[in-house]
Amino acid sequence: MDAHPDEPHGAAVVADGYGLKGPRGWAFRGIGFEAAPGSLVAIEGPSGSGRTCLLLALTGRMKAQEGHAQVARLRLPKKMAAVRRISALGPVPGVSDLDPALTVAEHLRERALLQRRFDGSLKALLRPPAERAAAARARIDEALKAAGLDLETLPKGDRTSVRDLERLEALRLSLALALLGRPRLVALDDTDLKLSDADRAEAWALLRSVADSGITVLAVCSEAPEGALRVSTASATTRTAPKTSEAEPGTADAKPKPETEPEPDAEPTATGPDTDAEPTTHTIQKAQKGEADAFAATRRA
């Protein structure tokens, strides 16, 4: 879905009293913030506080039960499929993991083929093979440049296996794959996990550059960088949306004013990035476990 001619390319994101309940209670609750198109939004909070679940809910991969959110004027949870079409996932453990056995080139080629197959127009599919190949190559080069991944610097170039990539290189590859679809919103989990101070600063600089290009960025982290719009899940089970710009630290600065809607009786559900099949609560448990594992890994590092 392309942006409206009068709108920026990025997607505005608004949440008001947003909450998702899992089999063990609320994954997150009372989330309220407003982010303009092209914002860098840092979702921070302790392990198990629902950071990953919030990330997936805001990209249409999980269904919230309380409050609501809007992404590019698409209301959640009613328009989950539409939000998935304009958003893309970077690294999210258990959801969009890289295959360690595949090479960088294989990952890029596979994603480009999938992008052309499911998102390409009929006219594009009918182009001569040489034109399609050139268009795919141009799109890959564009995504690699935006993600700051120089294939020439890798040990074996584009034939380097994912298992041989450094943590920051893997992050760049995951981001490049997400950007291949030219999304209006891109989301990343565990952004600063297992990164040195220098690599962490480089990663945030990269995400700022993506946001500066007009794409809205949602990034889960242990500590938000200076200048990012901070959304905290630390006390989300008891917090309500902030009323002023001087609201408690860790919440967004803006004041959302969307309408509220009644809480549905249905159990929470989770959907995959490219399917509308009936989900289960397993994804919520998996996301919460992934947060706990990530936190433990950080403590060991």
Side-chain angles (χ1 to χ4, degrees):
M1 178 183 297
D2 295 329
H4 186 278
D6 296 329
E7 294 178 345
H9 176 67
V13 182
V14 178
D16 182 29
Y18 208 42
L20 185 148
K21 191 174 184 180
R24 298 181 182 178
W26 289 97
F28 63 83
R29 194 179 191 187
I31 297 295
F33 71 95
E34 183 174 348
S39 295
L40 173 58
V41 182
I43 301 175
E44 62 176 4
S47 174
S49 63
R51 299 171 304 177
T52 303
C53 292
L54 176 58
L55 189 80
L56 295 175
L58 290 173
T59 54
R61 274 81 176 177
M62 277 188 171
K63 187 174 183 180
Q65 288 73 48
E66 187 173 77
H68 67 269
Q70 286 187 346
V71 177
R73 301 183 183 179
L74 299 170
R75 192 176 179 89
L76 291 170
K78 294 181 179 180
K79 300 291 186 179
M80 293 174 65
V83 170
R84 289 198 296 274
R85 286 195 292 270
I86 65 168
S87 64
L89 296 181
V92 179
V95 180
S96 57
D97 303 278
L98 297 174
D99 188 331
L102 295 182
T103 66
V104 172
E106 288 169 336
H107 270 290
L108 292 167
R109 190 180 308 115
E110 179 185 58
R111 183 62 61 89
L113 288 172
L114 289 172
Q115 199 70 46
R116 187 178 69 194
R117 170 65 179 81
F118 293 105
D119 295 333
S121 65
L122 179 60
K123 181 178 179 180
L125 290 173
L126 295 177
R127 289 178 181 175
E131 288 187 17
R132 294 202 304 267
R137 183 69 254 175
R139 179 169 286 203
I140 289 174
D141 290 343
E142 176 186 318
L144 289 173
K145 182 178 180 180
L149 182 61
D150 184 355
L151 300 183
E152 298 299 324
T153 64
L154 302 181
K156 297 180 181 179
D158 64 2
R159 294 182 294 108
T160 303
S161 296
V162 166
R163 64 167 60 94
D164 296 325
L165 295 176
E166 299 292 338
R167 164 67 179 157
L168 184 57
E169 293 171 340
L171 177 66
R172 290 184 184 278
L173 175 58
S174 290
L175 180 59
L177 294 174
L179 294 176
L180 270 173
R182 295 171 179 164
R184 299 178 62 186
L185 172 71
V186 65
L188 306 89
D189 197 7
D190 294 338
T191 303
D192 53 4
L193 178 65
K194 294 183 179 180
L195 291 180
S196 65
D197 291 342
D199 284 348
R200 184 178 295 110
E202 193 170 342
W204 285 117
L206 167 63
L207 296 185
R208 288 182 199 281
S209 70
V210 173
D212 288 342
S213 74
I215 301 172
T216 304
V217 178
L218 303 180
V220 168
C221 60
S222 58
E223 184 177 356
E226 184 178 354
L229 178 61
R230 301 173 62 193
V231 177
S232 176
T233 57
S235 57
T237 55
T238 58
R239 190 181 66 243
T240 58
K243 295 182 179 180
T244 69
S245 59
E246 277 77 35
E248 68 177 278
T251 61
D253 296 333
K255 180 172 63 176
K257 294 183 179 179
E259 297 178 359
T260 58
E261 58 187 21
E263 178 180 353
D265 296 326
E267 282 297 308
T269 56
T271 63
D274 299 303
T275 178
D276 291 320
E278 185 67 22
T280 67
T281 56
H282 175 66
T283 304
I284 297 177
Q285 296 172 335
K286 193 170 187 179
Q288 291 175 326
K289 182 179 183 299
E291 288 186 350
D293 293 343
F295 180 75
T298 304
R299 295 294 300 270
R300 290 195 299 270

